[in-house]
């Protein structure tokens, strides 16, 4: 009997060139116009004004409630979004400190309080841009801007820990039923978690050679069919495929954009992966072209539609699954297809 031992540690895998969304124009001018609302917060009735600049989950939010004498700016921290530990290197934390931020133990964010009389609209816009560029290494052209209002109470509602934009003051009354009401963000405490149910890392798994080859080929065919289905989306809708190897997943989606983003679960998103997606595995995924958590809670990469075909993407996805999940990817893949409202 021929036995093939598939070693997943140290595998060299080529991943097609993937890149983030196309760069947008510089946000400096848009931010300068947006932050002007903060100077007029006194004119708002029971509401505070908020301006946010972000790239994915990496955000800086400046706000001011009626009659407040300062502008409060908060930058994303690891208490509300544990995956920010990847983005917030020692050097980037130092950059935030140099900008005047201090760590806030209650929210886990970085907070700076500014005197409005000392900060013109242009200067404040530059400060927000510098926060993202220096604190999170965000590219200038990837910054998006959003404005709105929030209840001007002592403890404005915040997004709960463990979700995208966790720890952020929720403006524009987003999902009020899901918001926290306390001044302190409850961190994700996993000290008491029972690790007996967590899978141990499988560095290799003995597989019969012919069976392993057939399994990989069948998985690649299933994944390629899923990508072909994704390409059928039209109009404003969105198609999503979830590729599962047991409890581990890779999710890819397609809208009208000329890219297919794919996300591989991180240990922050799925604690069961803590023994599987280690720091070393994360570095391998980064070398393959995946963006480490920070922009998203997961590892994320993009296939460009003009770069390769479904078959090519399927092989690369199978390689990524082997890198991320190790021996757990040596099993039949389950493909789930979802269609969001609005597809034509």
């Amino acid at each position: 009997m021929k036995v093939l031992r598939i070693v997943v540690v140290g595998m060299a895998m080529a991943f097609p060139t993937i890149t983030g969304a196309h760069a947008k124009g510089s946000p400096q001018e848009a931010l300068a116009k947006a932050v002007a609302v903060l100077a007029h917060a006194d004119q708002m009735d029971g509401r505070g004004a908020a301006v946010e600049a972000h790239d994915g989950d990496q955000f800086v939010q400046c706000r001011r409630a009626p009659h407040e004498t300062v502008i409060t700016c908060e930058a994303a921290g690891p208490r509300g979004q544990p995956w920010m530990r990847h983005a917030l290197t020692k050097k980037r934390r130092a950059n935030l400190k140099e900008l005047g931020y201090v760590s806030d133990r209650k929210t886990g964010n970085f907070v700076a309080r500014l005197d409005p009389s000392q900060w013109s609209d242009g200067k404040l816009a530059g400060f927000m841009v510098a926060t993202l560029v220096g604190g999170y290494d965000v590219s200038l052209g990837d910054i998006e801007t959003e404005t709105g209002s929030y209840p001007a109470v002592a403890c404005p509602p915040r997004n709960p820990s463990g979700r995208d934009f966790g720890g952020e003051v929720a403006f524009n009354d987003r999902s009020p039923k899901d918001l926290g009401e306390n001044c302190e963000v409850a961190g994700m405490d996993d000290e008491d978690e029972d690790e007996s149910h967590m899978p141990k890392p499988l560095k290799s798994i003995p597989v019969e050679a012919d069976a392993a080859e057939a399994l990989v080929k069948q998985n690649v065919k299933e994944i390629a069919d899923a990508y072909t289905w994704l390409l059928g989306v039209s109009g404003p809708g969105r198609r999503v495929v979830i590729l599962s190897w047991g409890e581990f997943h890779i999710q890819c989606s397609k809208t009208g954009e000329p890219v297919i983003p794919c996300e591989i679960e991180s240990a922050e998103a799925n604690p069961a992966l803590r023994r599987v997606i280690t720091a070393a595995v994360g570095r391998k995924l980064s070398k393959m072209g995946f963006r480490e958590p920070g922009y998203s809670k997961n590892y994320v990469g993009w296939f460009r539609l003009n770069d390769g075909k479904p078959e090519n993407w399927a092989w690369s996805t199978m390689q990524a699954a082997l890198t991320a999940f190790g021996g757990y990817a040596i099993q039949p893949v389950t493909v789930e297809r979802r269609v969001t409202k609005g597809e034509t």
Side-chain angles (χ1 to χ4, degrees), residues 83-102:
W83 47 96
M84 283 300 152
R85 67 182 180 84
H86 294 270
L88 290 165
T89 62
K90 185 176 181 180
K91 173 59 177 175
R92 294 172 192 168
R93 288 172 182 262
N95 289 341
L96 291 175
K97 184 176 181 180
E98 288 181 6
L99 285 170
Y101 284 94
V102 294

Side-chain angles (χ1 to χ4, degrees), residues 123-257:
K123 184 178 178 182
L124 181 56
F127 176 77
M128 296 180 73
V129 168
T131 299
L132 290 179
V133 174
Y136 305 88
D137 198 29
V138 169
S139 296
L140 186 63
D142 290 334
I143 297 175
E144 297 182 7
T145 303
E146 190 172 357
T147 61
S149 65
Y150 62 95
V153 294
C155 295
R158 291 179 181 268
N159 290 321
S161 176
R163 298 192 181 184
D164 292 320
F165 293 93
E168 171 209 63
V169 169
F171 56 101
N172 295 343
D173 296 325
R174 299 184 198 162
S175 304
K177 67 180 188 318
D178 296 327
L179 300 179
E181 297 180 354
N182 297 321
C183 290
E184 186 171 351
V185 173
M188 297 180 67
D189 185 4
D190 55 16
E191 291 182 359
D192 299 326
E193 187 168 359
D194 182 6
E195 295 194 359
S196 63
H197 299 296
M198 295 183 182
K200 296 179 180 179
L202 297 179
K203 296 183 179 180
S204 63
I205 184 170
V207 179
E208 194 173 335
D210 293 340
E213 184 178 358
L215 174 61
V216 169
K217 286 184 177 179
Q218 181 60 34
N219 280 354
V220 170
K221 180 181 182 302
E222 296 282 349
I223 298 170
D225 289 344
Y227 279 125
T228 300
W229 178 79
L230 277 181
L231 293 177
V233 70
S234 60
R238 180 170 177 255
R239 287 187 176 185
V240 178
V241 294
I242 300 174
L243 311 171
S244 302
W245 289 264
E247 60 182 298
F248 307 134
H249 315 284
I250 296 178
Q251 177 175 303
C252 303
S253 61
K254 176 69 175 68
T255 61
E257 297 295 327

